[in-house]
Amino acid sequence: MRDGVDMDLVTLSRRLAEREISAVMVVEACLDRIERLDPDLKAFREIDAEGALAAAHQSDQRSHRLGPLDGIPIAVKDSIDIEGWVTRSGFGARSEQPAACDAQVIASLRKAGAVILGHTNMHEGALGATNDNPHTGRTHNPRRHDHTPGGSSGGSAAAVAAGLCPLALGTDTLGSVRLPAAYCGVAGYKPTRELIDNRGIEPLCKRLDQIGPLAGCVADLLVAHQTLTGQTLDKRVPDFEMLRIGCLVDCAGVSLDDDVRRAFENAVYRLRQAGAEIHDLSIDGLDAGPIRRAGLLLTEAEAADHFAADRMSYPDALSSDFSALLDYGENADADKLDAANELIGTTEHSIDALFDQIDLLVLPTAPQSAFCFDEAAPPNQAELTALASIAGTPAVSLPIPSTDLPVGLQLIGRRGADERVLRAAAQMESEFGFIYEDPMDETMP
């Protein structure tokens, strides 16, 4: 057991239940790994070592475990409230008023015995997808130093990928859990809209925001899903021969890098060989680029209103780039906002209608793999993830075989079909070996 932490959550939970290891051992191993690796990785913004060890000790003292997450260390995105901690949301010097209470999701985790490690680094204000933060430093992708881990939940994804913790929380507005999952070679899940309580997160766009977990594999996401939603899981394994799987012709107009296209086509081929019924689908007028831009415009407009007080009281806390985004949203033309809302409504209806024909929609998670910080960020990063965000449907990203950096496969289901999506993804992971197994970048200092 290298460092005590490079194993999946399910195995950790079983070994804790059987008293083969202690929660204190696991947390100490995580803290040791964070101390050694995170000064260069910058996945975390704040660590509560004393509080985590105390919670782990309490877990070890219980005669009966509270559930599968009892004693499991979890990292939390910096936009999610933890009682007594300052929620900084990736900004610089801002109000130092600590959160008066836990976000609802943190309260649920504590009730389940989970150990909160700390707040993870994130893209400033959650409005971006590189995690190159001007206030806290850039979070590096553990698979390739000097490359983005994705954003805005890049710190959470990097922490999981580097083995600093087995599970982390992020938030997803247009893809901010699934993009980092794809770039870092881990699994990420955006639930059905409002399935997980958002109370206690810094809002960006309330219509689109959703808390979601990241883990090393989909099997671990299933465990997290059960705790975070309170739903009892169906133990039945999906039969691929019973699944109708849809693929959008030309990926809704999104141009894919060659390595992503090859990996995606191979994954679809594997599904077809396993007996899945593959449908090539086309939706009139479904163009992912304008849809993503419509969601971004609404997000910028709502963010401008939410952060107005911060801009007045703490002008140095926000970078000029972030302020420019807020300026754009604040000055957005009313007709453009109306048009964006109309397009979002039409898109939601069109995607809903897809699930009268299919059980699952499969797409690449991102059109590209992780890119170097020195390169311009591709404007189309979130065009394939935005579809599920705007439709409010569940979506999971899992790694698929690729020739170099990780590539993510995205599974989307109808609203409320979260377990079906996760179960199908877990079955693909198990049957096809869809797990990114390359070691962490050996050039990391």
Side-chain angles (χ1 to χ4, degrees):
M1 181 175 65
R2 190 191 72 189
D3 296 1
V5 293
D6 65 339
M7 62 175 69
D8 58 273
L9 186 157
V10 171
T11 302
L12 271 179
S13 184
R14 176 186 60 79
R15 298 193 70 185
L16 285 168
E18 295 174 359
R19 304 287 182 177
E20 293 181 7
I21 55 176
S22 70
V24 168
M25 287 172 57
V26 176
V27 170
E28 286 178 339
C30 288
L31 293 173
D32 175 70
R33 199 163 171 82
I34 290 167
E35 184 178 7
R36 289 188 289 108
L37 299 178
D38 203 54
D40 297 297
L41 188 64
K42 290 185 171 59
F44 281 90
R45 179 160 186 171
E46 183 179 12
I47 295 288
D48 181 17
E50 184 177 344
L53 287 168
H57 179 72
Q58 291 174 2
S59 176
D60 288 334
Q61 296 303 305
R62 284 191 276 271
S63 58
H64 295 89
R65 298 187 79 223
L66 300 177
L69 295 187
D70 197 347
I72 298 293
I74 296 177
V76 179
K77 188 176 181 177
D78 188 28
S79 59
I80 302 174
D81 285 348
I82 301 173
E83 183 179 359
W85 294 34
V86 178
T87 306
R88 296 185 173 88
S89 295
F91 293 119
R94 198 181 174 206
S95 170
E96 291 297 303
Q97 181 67 36
C101 60
D102 285 331
Q104 187 59 43
V105 68
I106 300 300
S108 297
L109 289 171
R110 290 196 198 276
K111 186 177 180 181
V115 175
I116 307 302
L117 278 177
H119 267 148
T120 55
N121 202 359
M122 58 181 280
H123 197 104
E124 184 183 17
L127 193 53
T130 65
N131 243 75
D132 191 356
N133 190 302
H135 309 290
T136 57
R138 55 180 51 157
T139 300
H140 293 271
N141 191 318
R143 313 299 186 183
R144 187 74 55 84
H145 197 65
D146 286 330
H147 281 58
T148 178
S152 61
S153 306
S156 293
V160 171
L164 308 186
C165 59
L167 183 68
L169 291 183
T171 64
D172 190 307
T173 302
L174 288 170
S176 289
V177 163
R178 290 160 287 154
L179 287 172
Y183 288 169
C184 290
V186 299
Y189 159 52
K190 183 200 79 69
T192 291
R193 185 183 298 150
E194 298 181 352
L195 178 63
I196 294 178
D197 197 324
N198 278 343
R199 284 179 294 173
I201 72 168
E202 181 101 62
L204 189 61
C205 181
K206 291 184 179 180
R207 179 176 182 174
L208 304 177
D209 294 342
Q210 187 58 66
I211 293 171
L214 298 108
C217 60
V218 182
D220 291 351
L221 293 181
L222 275 163
V223 175
H225 167 79
Q226 183 174 6
T227 300
L228 295 173
T229 64
Q231 296 181 347
T232 302
L233 296 179
D234 188 338
K235 300 297 183 182
R236 290 177 295 179
V237 174
D239 184 349
F240 287 129
E241 294 184 0
M242 301 294 291
L243 283 178
R244 300 170 300 163
I245 294 178
C247 297
L248 290 180
V249 175
D250 295 328
C251 284
V254 179
S255 177
L256 306 179
D257 285 2
D258 289 343
D259 58 335
V260 173
R261 182 177 296 280
R262 284 192 296 267
F264 176 66
E265 289 176 349
N266 179 62
V268 173
Y269 173 79
R270 297 288 298 275
L271 287 168
R272 196 187 300 274
Q273 290 296 105
E277 187 179 309
I278 306 295
H279 296 255
D280 291 324
L281 303 174
S282 179
I283 303 175
D284 290 341
L286 188 70
D287 188 341
I291 292 167
R292 189 266 306 171
R293 289 192 292 273
L296 179 59
L297 179 61
L298 294 186
T299 298
E300 290 168 333
E302 190 170 322
D305 182 62
H306 176 71
F307 293 116
D310 283 289
R311 298 183 77 182
M312 293 183 63
S313 302
Y314 310 102
D316 294 334
L318 282 64
S319 72
S320 58
D321 287 345
F322 188 82
S323 292
L325 293 174
L326 299 186
D327 285 340
Y328 188 84
E330 185 177 22
N331 297 313
D333 182 82
D335 289 340
K336 287 185 178 180
L337 289 170
D338 288 343
N341 272 305
E342 184 177 352
L343 179 56
I344 285 174
T346 300
T347 302
E348 186 170 346
H349 176 76
S350 296
I351 293 176
D352 279 347
L354 276 182
F355 295 106
D356 293 334
Q357 307 171 56
I358 59 172
D359 301 305
L360 296 172
L361 179 67
V362 295
L363 292 164
T365 306
Q368 60 283 120
S369 53
F371 50 91
C372 182
F373 283 117
D374 292 337
E375 300 173 17
N380 67 347
Q381 284 185 83
E383 289 185 356
L384 295 173
T385 51
L387 297 176
S389 296
I390 284 168
T393 59
V396 62
S397 176
L398 72 157
I400 52 177
S402 57
T403 57
D404 188 15
L405 288 168
V407 170
L409 178 69
Q410 184 180 195
L411 274 66
I412 302 172
R414 72 167 67 245
R415 277 195 295 270
D418 296 62
E419 186 178 344
R420 168 179 274 183
V421 173
L422 286 165
R423 284 285 181 199
Q427 183 67 3
M428 292 177 195
E429 185 178 74
S430 173
E431 187 164 326
F432 304 147
F434 283 3
I435 296 178
Y436 191 80
E437 296 181 333
D438 280 7
M440 194 173 76
D441 183 1
E442 294 181 359
T443 67
M444 285 286 292

